[in-house]
């Protein structure tokens, strides 16, 4: 499912073109890591955003991203400007939250924002304290001709899963896509594993092993 | 240009399908009136929003909209719910502002929001007083799989003007599309005509006659 999510959001909404710049949050997560790797096969410049230096090193050294920025960096906005010198054409949003402030001013004319997940908002109150950023965001969408589109992957299995499966089988076979799982042992630890995932303590797809492999 | 704007935004971003419900603001304006009439040719239910009863009557009786709501109505949200009993599939935004609050909760899964104009925001400060509606709006985009897309028609002449011209010629000939101009006499009255347009005092495309017709 995470690979299919990455594939659909990137190809059907993001529509990457060679030499465009893509930014993806939760870059070493199950979705983000695949988004960036597929975008590389399309010739994009890929800038990941992840929590901490270790994840960022993994994104660059193991996943082949062009850059990966630590979202905890005190100079995050400047780091992003340096990593995306030609602006941002595709923002693949897995996180929402504070990094939005840095990404949005850098969106180029015709940019696509793929709203895949907003993990930082899931437990937030529905009304946040002001100022109200919505009017300025809508003006930005108009002036820069930006597309913002949300999706939920369960809608798309019937139409697209077979195409995805063929693409992904090829990429796994030819080595274009690597993946990593964060395994928690024992079903009794599921709740803690879920809480850790929400806090970003996992590294790769968070899975719980409930029985030995066969 | 207004007809081309209506055509591009509706067909290339809104992508109307038969039996969908479209809401268009500034419904008797140069863009809105054409949006609604094209949408009718695609079999949509068309709900206009305009300033005042006279414009609303014109939208229904002369333009053939299914309904048109007065944006000054004290019961506007309830009026909209009654006029769009199956929710909203396409919102063609020419205005922005307060009617956003009524439209957005009614957007259906898979809805498209065409950001064509935000006339109510053009003279607003970039930061409005809170609460901040942006996080909740992004969550809504995700949960309802909404697409929000801005465009500026000057980008699309080379690719689409000929197709538009052929479509519109046909519609004008077969009577599918009617139009109306609001003529101000004399170039010396241009500034006032422009201010009147921003306030919604025009009725149809605001034009200034600078010399007699030949």
């Amino acid at each position: 499912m995470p690979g299919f999510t990455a594939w659909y959001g990137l190809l059907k909404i993001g529509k990457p073109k060679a030499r465009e710049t893509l930014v993806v949050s939760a870059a070493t997560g199950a979705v983000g890591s695949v988004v960036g790797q597929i975008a590389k096969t399309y010739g994009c410049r890929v800038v990941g955003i992840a929590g901490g230096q270790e994840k960022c090193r993994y994104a660059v050294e193991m996943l082949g991203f062009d850059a990966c920025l630590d979202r905890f960096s005190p100079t995050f906005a400047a780091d992003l400007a340096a990593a995306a010198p030609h602006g941002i054409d595709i923002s693949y949003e897995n996180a929402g939250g504070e990094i939005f402030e840095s990404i949005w001013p850098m969106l180029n004319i015709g940019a696509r924002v793929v709203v895949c997940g907003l993990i930082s908002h899931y437990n937030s109150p529905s009304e946040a304290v002001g100022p109200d950023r919505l009017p300025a965001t809508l003006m930005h969408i108009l002036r820069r001709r930006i597309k913002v589109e949300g999706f939920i992957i369960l809608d798309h299995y019937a139409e697209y899963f077979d195409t995805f499966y063929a693409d992904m089988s090829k990429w796994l076979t030819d080595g274009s896509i690597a993946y990593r799982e964060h395994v928690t042992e024992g079903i009794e630890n599921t709740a803690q594993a879920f809480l850790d995932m929400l806090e970003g303590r996992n590294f790769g797809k968070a899975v719980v092993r409930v029985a030995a492999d066969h």
Side-chain angles (χ1 to χ4, degrees), chain A:
Chain A
M1 190 181 89
F4 186 34
T5 302
W7 179 93
Y8 180 87
L10 180 63
L11 300 189
K12 299 302 169 186
I13 299 176
K15 297 184 178 170
K17 295 194 281 283
R19 289 179 299 284
E20 288 191 325
T21 297
L22 170 130
V23 169
V24 57
S25 51
T28 60
V31 175
S33 63
V34 177
V35 168
Q37 292 178 92
I38 298 176
K40 287 303 299 177
T41 75
Y42 278 75
C44 294
R45 175 172 178 80
V46 172
V47 178
I49 299 169
Q53 288 298 330
E54 186 192 357
K55 288 178 178 176
C56 286
R57 263 195 310 275
Y58 174 80
V60 172
E61 292 172 9
M62 301 303 290
L63 302 177
F65 288 18
D66 296 285
C68 189
L69 310 177
D70 183 353
R71 68 183 168 97
F72 301 120
S73 164
T75 58
F76 180 78
D79 301 346
L80 183 60
H86 304 295
I88 296 168
D89 301 295
I90 304 172
S91 176
Y92 196 107
E93 298 269 352
N94 290 311
E98 293 167 23
I99 57 175
F100 176 94
E101 303 287 346
S102 304
I103 290 173
W104 274 64
M106 291 185 59
L107 292 175
N108 289 329
I109 286 176
R112 289 81 71 197
V113 176
V114 184
V115 184
C116 175
L118 296 166
I119 201 165
S120 68
H121 300 320
Y122 291 161
N123 293 323
S124 303
S126 62
E127 286 205 335
V129 291
D132 181 12
R133 296 173 296 172
L134 183 60
T137 302
L138 289 171
M139 282 301 293
H140 197 61
I141 287 171
L142 175 57
R143 290 193 178 120
R144 299 264 174 105
R145 301 83 143 162
I146 293 167
K147 177 176 80 169
V148 183
E149 186 166 349
F151 74 103
I152 293 181
I153 195 59
L154 296 175
D155 299 340
H156 303 290
Y157 274 83
E159 189 171 4
Y160 288 113
F161 189 81
D162 291 346
T163 317
F164 154 72
Y165 195 85
D167 277 354
M168 185 56 77
S169 300
K170 178 167 62 72
W171 290 326
L172 288 171
T173 304
D174 73 14
S176 299
I177 303 274
Y179 68 100
R180 176 169 178 157
E181 292 179 340
H182 183 103
V183 180
T184 300
E185 297 289 342
I187 197 168
E188 67 278 13
N189 296 314
T190 301
Q192 188 60 48
F194 185 73
L195 295 173
D196 286 349
M197 180 274 293
L198 287 177
E199 298 283 334
R201 294 202 195 94
N202 58 312
F203 193 156
K205 177 64 181 171
V207 294
V208 174
R209 194 194 313 268
V210 296
D213 294 343
H214 292 291

